[in-house]
Amino acid sequence: MDIYQADKTLVCTSRVPGLKQTSLRILRNKMGNKVVATDPVGVREGNWVFTASGSAARFAAGDFEVLTDLTIAGIIDNWDESAG
Amino acid sequence: MKICKVVKPLVSTNRIPEMEHKHLQVVLDGSSQAVAVDAVGAKPGDWVICVGSSAAREAAGSKGYPSDLTIVGIIDHWDDK
């Protein structure tokens, strides 16, 4: 599972039915490149989170039919960025 | 499967219920950090074997467990050349 920092939410009204009504969140990793993940936890901007990717992401989303390959699995209690 | 070094436990109180109460470890794969479900009880400083993809789910508990990286073994002797 990878470690990211949560950025803003992503609003995407026209989407495939497979994405259902999942809330999407932009995540940024140490190198600064941004990815989109589904967010069953409900994180705030700036939280450090860990994610599940691949088919595990569909299980993590709580409903296997959600067509995601990256899901936020939890918020890390404390994380110092410099330890990277 | 990858050889990684265990850095420290990862504490996450606010996480998805599907993860249940499995221990999570921060592991170092070369120079990049990752989080792995600990199925064997490794301690910081151990060299371990981590498995990915669908095997990671089964190693962590069940076919439906949301893990994409799981520690499956502690290496007895390993020097990092």
Side-chain angles (χ1 to χ4, degrees), chain B residues 6-80:
Chain B
V6 177
V7 176
K8 60 178 179 180
L10 184 111
V11 178
S12 169
T13 0
N14 185 351
R15 57 189 189 175
I16 51 174
E18 288 83 4
M19 297 217 69
E20 292 144 11
H21 300 288
K22 304 270 193 233
H23 289 273
L24 301 176
Q25 303 270 12
V26 179
V27 294
L28 209 53
D29 170 20
S31 64
S32 66
Q33 281 188 329
V35 178
V37 176
D38 186 354
V40 287
K43 58 182 179 1
D46 282 350
W47 286 94
V48 293
I49 305 173
C50 293
V51 69
S53 81
S54 62
R57 297 207 302 274
E58 217 152 328
S62 65
K63 281 203 169 59
Y65 189 87
S67 162
D68 62 13
L69 191 66
T70 304
I71 298 173
V72 289
I74 303 173
I75 303 173
D76 292 9
H77 305 291
W78 182 255
D79 53 358
D80 185 24

Side-chain angles (χ1 to χ4, degrees), chain A residues 3-12 15 22-30 32-40 42-51 68-72 75:
Chain A
I3 296 165
Y4 289 96
Q5 186 165 29
D7 202 342
K8 296 198 170 27
T9 58
L10 185 75
V11 179
C12 169
R15 48 170 90 182
T22 54
S23 65
L24 302 176
R25 170 71 62 160
I26 302 172
L27 301 179
R28 211 168 5 138
N29 68 5
K30 267 187 314 187
N33 33 30
K34 297 187 170 178
V35 291
V36 181
T38 53
D39 178 10
V43 301
R44 282 186 302 279
E45 193 168 344
N47 284 145
W48 283 89
V49 299
F50 65 101
T51 60
T68 172
D69 72 347
L70 191 69
T71 303
I72 294 174
I75 302 172

